Amino acid sequence: MPDRAAIVTGASRGIGRALAQTLGEEGFALTMTARDPETLKRTVEEFTDQGFEVEYVAANLRDEEAICEVVRRHRERYGRLDVLVNNAGVGVGAAATEHQAKYVSLQLDVNVRAIILFYRECAELLRAAGAEHHNALVVNMASIAGKMPDRWLSVYSATKAAVSAYSMAMNRALVRDGVKSVAFAPGFVDTDMSDYVKGKVPAERMLRPSDIAEGLRFLLRVSPNCVIPEIMFQRPDEFA
């Protein structure tokens, strides 16, 4: 059994990959999941070449059984869970009069429902780690859009506000068991998810996935007495 183990969703690219990379560098055994099996496999191969211990499960997080399978595979291989990173997310823009129900449901399912189900499935493992070292951690990917909602991304913004609220609720539910929750709320990060806006905000002015990963590295080092409910990551020109 490894000394520390983590699950990362949406782990094959972008922010999720950077967060998984950081956990691997910090000595965590990893279970990585993402929807696209080929991209996930390539990332896992690169990580194993670096000496990381990795389990991987391609999964559509709209599927409750798929979420249960990710946690089951993790439990069988590692037997413990110290960090859960709920990074997977999706955003679909539309005017208020043009929302399609299938895309509303997609965003609610992946951005909010999946996080709730991962907590449910992982609570026993997280509490066991919390009882051991009082510093189990759940990182939930919110967004600056949840703080400053965008009219075009109204549903996405609402889901990310929900992530922040749910993270706070989970601190109230689990922090006495040694399980901390933090919402990460970044602005535009230079990943393919932000390609749609790079005509207005150049990639060179965006946050880097490594910026978000350094937030995680910091959280891994704080004492059990320190709870940080939320971290916002913003660009300098957002304060102009």
Side-chain angles (χ1 to χ4, degrees):
M1 182 183 294
D3 291 336
R4 295 287 188 271
I7 293 174
V8 183
T9 74
S12 63
R13 55 195 175 90
I15 295 173
R17 177 184 171 127
L19 296 173
Q21 173 81 39
T22 296
L23 288 163
E25 291 171 355
E26 293 292 329
F28 284 76
L30 299 170
T31 294
M32 299 168 58
T33 186
R35 186 176 59 179
D36 179 14
E38 293 304 317
T39 305
L40 179 60
K41 184 179 179 180
R42 286 195 297 271
T43 300
V44 168
E45 289 172 349
E46 292 173 12
F47 280 12
T48 55
D49 287 345
Q50 296 179 57
F52 300 166
E53 185 175 359
V54 184
E55 178 77 17
Y56 68 100
V57 187
N60 181 346
L61 299 190
R62 300 190 73 185
D63 181 352
E64 180 179 359
E65 290 305 314
I67 291 171
C68 294
E69 177 67 7
V70 171
V71 180
R72 183 190 69 79
R73 292 267 295 274
H74 178 89
R75 183 186 292 110
E76 287 186 353
R77 176 152 181 182
Y78 301 126
R80 65 178 300 130
L81 178 63
D82 303 271
V83 175
L84 168 63
V85 178
N86 287 309
N87 169 74
V90 61
V92 182
T97 56
E98 297 176 359
H99 287 299
Q100 297 182 52
K102 64 180 180 180
Y103 294 131
V104 173
S105 296
L106 172 64
Q107 293 172 91
L108 291 170
D109 287 350
V110 176
N111 297 358
V112 182
R113 179 176 175 269
I115 290 176
I116 294 168
L117 295 180
F118 265 108
Y119 268 99
R120 184 192 72 187
E121 294 302 307
C122 293
E124 181 181 357
L125 287 168
L126 289 166
R127 282 188 168 115
E132 178 185 327
H133 52 67
H134 311 292
N135 226 6
L137 177 67
V138 183
V139 176
N140 298 315
M141 192 56 59
S143 170
I144 204 69
K147 301 296 180 183
M148 296 177 281
D150 183 277
R151 61 185 179 182
W152 180 252
L153 291 170
S154 57
V155 175
Y156 176 80
S157 298
T159 64
K160 294 306 184 178
V163 170
S164 292
Y166 196 75
S167 300
M168 181 62 76
M170 289 302 96
N171 274 322
R172 295 188 181 279
L174 298 172
V175 77
R176 291 177 181 81
D177 296 324
V179 182
K180 307 174 185 179
S181 294
V182 55
F184 277 8
F188 292 123
V189 181
D190 183 16
T191 68
D192 56 4
M193 195 170 178
S194 297
D195 284 349
Y196 76 98
V197 78
K198 287 177 180 174
K200 295 181 179 179
V201 182
E204 60 269 21
R205 286 170 45 203
M206 290 185 174
L207 300 166
R208 303 286 183 261
S210 59
D211 295 328
I212 316 307
E214 286 304 315
L216 173 58
R217 203 184 302 272
F218 158 67
L219 289 169
L220 296 175
R221 284 164 167 68
V222 300
S223 79
N225 298 325
C226 181
V227 179
I228 301 168
E230 186 171 57
I231 299 178
M232 295 173 63
F233 303 80
Q234 293 183 259
R235 295 175 292 110
D237 56 6
E238 292 178 301
F239 296 91

